[in-house]
Amino acid sequence: MEPVSAPNAPDAVVVGGGAVGCATAYELTRRGLRVSLVERDGIASHASGFAYGGLYATTGAGIPGPVLPVAKQCLELHRGLADDIRDQTGLDDGFRPARSIEVAFDQRRVDWLKGEARWQLQEGFKVELLDQKGMREIEPRLNPDIIGGALHSSHYEVDSYKYTFGLGWAFEKRGGRIVRSSAVAVTERDGRATGVALSNGETIPAGIVVLATGPWASTDEIPGVRPLPIHASRGEILRLEFPGDDFRSRVTLDSHYIARKPDGLVWVGTTDETVPGFDDRTTEAARASIMEGVLRLAPALEAARLVTQTACLRPVAKDGLPIIGRGGLDGLYLANGAGKKGILLSPAIARMVAALAIDADEAAVPAPFRSGRFAIR
Ligand SMILES: Cc1cc2nc3c(=O)[nH]c(=O)nc-3n(C[C@H](O)[C@H](O)[C@H](O)COP(=O)(O)OP(=O)(O)OC[C@H]3O[C@@H](n4cnc5c(N)ncnc54)[C@H](O)[C@@H]3O)c2cc1C
């Protein structure tokens, strides 16, 4: 094994070229470290390249709760990263404000939306309750049985593929190295991580190792690294051709949503299925269930034509919260469990890992997210 201090060796190796790994590699490089990023299938080739790309700080696991302040902070971090990516590479990651409407078919749901709006307004979000007429004015082809909704004006979106790919590209522009291979072991000496061994036979020596391997962290494929209590939740999205200008505001009810993206296609989603074996194939059952849900919201979509169907796997922790922190060896760090919010939360996760690895700042990771809440070694 090569010594950690080999000339030209990186200071850090990040494993996983999804949003979390790319954001972390980029952040470590921005902080002045020499970094290698290891990805076996291609940057953004899994969930991070196919996610909807919503930067919604008002909903999701841990909101309101421990995720909320981090999610709010991420909106500003994304704004800064969009500028960085554009400055470094010329690529526009699609960061933009995006209006959305949560709808209600009955008074119980209207009352619930009112309660949500109360805390959201206190937190500084822009949200307005709409009656049936107000809804129809914004989205005329919604189901007339919808009786009201909440209009959010403090949501943002990115193109998740361009964001993740752009971070990887900006990382390279700052001198980072991307290695296309599989990490097969974390090398160690006297309880300290010393690098990462790859399936191509190379060992990359480094004193800091970050594992951002998404749902695959639930396996024992990297010997010596304990599987994380994470499961793969398969989510599918359909991209539809639907002439007109409707759904410029994303329309949502529970897990179903409809939104026209900048490419002109209407994206509809989604599903949440625990699947064995990292099976990320699309299914007819998911297509049927998504269409059933969104046709209830907008029967006019019956006329839409399916262009693409995608499926990918979210890394969801046992308690639904991110898993960030030490990984059982000195110098080994985990960045995982972002669930349905990994695009939104990735810049903050990256900063937390950098603060831990570079500044030994344990307090940078909120207690509910710390990896130490699970047995990790
Ligand atoms: C349908 C759907 C819609 C979504 N919409 C949103 C949204 O609107 N907003 C939002 O914030 N989030 C959204 N998400 C969630 C988001 O996609 C995930 O939280 C995020 O992509 C997770 O990023 P990650 O980097 O942890 O994992 P991944 O993107 O899975 O990346 C992990 C990478 O690690 C690599 N890897 C694993 N093991 C190894 C190894 N041993 N060696 C080398 N490489 C390895 C894999 O090949 C993979 O590329 C959505 C997810 C789905 C499924």
Side-chain angles (χ1 to χ4, degrees):
M1 190 197 326
E2 291 179 58
V4 175
S5 57
N8 302 322
D11 303 302
V13 187
V14 177
V15 181
V20 173
C22 288
T24 304
Y26 180 78
E27 177 62 14
L28 294 173
T29 307
R30 196 185 68 82
R31 296 278 313 263
L33 267 52
R34 289 169 304 171
V35 182
S36 290
L37 173 62
V38 177
E39 165 57 49
R40 61 181 165 202
D41 292 335
I43 299 297
S45 59
H46 292 282
S48 303
F50 296 94
Y52 175 79
L55 308 179
Y56 295 176
T58 54
T59 55
I63 297 176
V67 175
L68 177 60
V70 180
K72 284 171 78 173
Q73 180 206 6
C74 281
L75 299 177
E76 278 319 303
L77 294 177
H78 268 280
R79 191 189 299 279
L81 283 176
D83 291 342
D84 281 11
I85 291 169
R86 196 178 305 104
D87 291 348
Q88 306 269 344
T89 69
L91 185 74
D92 175 358
D93 79 352
F95 177 83
R96 65 190 177 99
R99 273 194 331 189
S100 72
I101 310 174
E102 284 185 88
V103 303
F105 277 95
D106 54 49
Q107 192 56 43
R108 227 175 104 209
R109 174 98 183 158
V110 170
D111 294 342
W112 181 79
L113 288 174
K114 275 186 194 158
E116 290 290 287
R118 219 167 287 130
W119 73 255
Q120 290 163 351
L121 287 166
Q122 278 166 9
E123 287 287 341
F125 293 112
K126 291 184 201 135
V127 51
E128 185 188 335
L129 293 165
L130 297 175
D131 61 12
Q132 198 167 28
K133 187 163 161 279
M135 302 275 305
R136 301 292 306 271
E137 277 167 14
I138 297 176
E139 288 296 344
R141 288 210 268 179
L142 285 181
N143 186 335
D145 292 343
I146 291 173
I147 63 166
L151 172 68
H152 294 269
S153 310
S154 22
H155 289 162
Y156 292 81
E157 287 183 11
V158 288
D159 177 317
S160 67
Y161 179 78
K162 289 182 182 165
Y163 165 70
T164 307
F165 182 81
L167 279 174
W169 191 1
F171 161 74
E172 280 187 302
K173 288 276 184 184
R174 281 183 173 270
R177 173 183 175 230
I178 297 178
V179 182
R180 172 85 187 274
S181 190
S182 215
V184 292
V186 173
T187 56
E188 67 172 291
R189 192 190 308 131
D190 302 331
R192 249 212 92 77
T194 56
V196 172
L198 307 181
S199 58
N200 67 7
E202 186 186 351
T203 293
I204 306 177
I208 295 171
V209 174
V210 182
L211 300 180
T213 51
W216 294 274
S218 62
T219 70
D220 57 5
E221 68 178 303
I222 303 182
V225 178
R226 195 157 175 164
L228 290 180
I230 279 182
H231 74 271
S233 141
R234 183 168 62 196
E236 302 199 28
I237 293 178
L238 313 179
R239 302 183 197 181
L240 309 175
E241 194 176 75
F242 184 64
D245 203 34
D246 313 63
F247 311 119
R248 290 283 168 198
S249 311
R250 172 169 135 147
V251 176
T252 313
L253 178 66
D254 299 327
S255 62
H256 290 118
Y257 54 78
I258 308 170
R260 193 175 295 273
K261 286 287 202 172
D263 63 5
L265 295 178
V266 172
W267 288 33
V268 295
T270 184
T271 52
D272 181 351
E273 226 187 323
T274 300
V275 285
F278 305 100
D279 180 354
D280 60 1
R281 287 171 298 179
T282 58
T283 65
E284 278 184 30
R287 192 188 317 167
S289 115
I290 293 170
M291 284 313 297
E292 189 186 337
V294 299
L295 284 174
R296 182 166 175 248
L297 295 175
L301 281 175
E302 188 77 72
R305 188 178 73 83
L306 177 66
V307 177
T308 315
Q309 179 173 359
T310 62
C312 51
L313 307 172
R314 313 171 181 98
V316 181
K318 204 167 144 192
D319 60 4
L321 296 177
I323 301 177
I324 304 163
R326 299 186 181 280
L329 292 173
D330 284 345
L332 176 63
Y333 302 93
L334 307 172
N336 213 313
K340 294 186 175 176
K341 293 279 170 195
I343 304 299
L344 173 64
L345 299 179
S346 51
I349 294 176
R351 291 204 170 205
M352 290 173 198
V353 172
L356 258 186
I358 300 173
D359 311 323
D361 179 5
E362 306 285 336
V365 184
F369 303 169
R370 290 182 194 157
S371 53
R373 72 188 189 277
F374 299 117
I376 46 168
R377 179 97 172 155

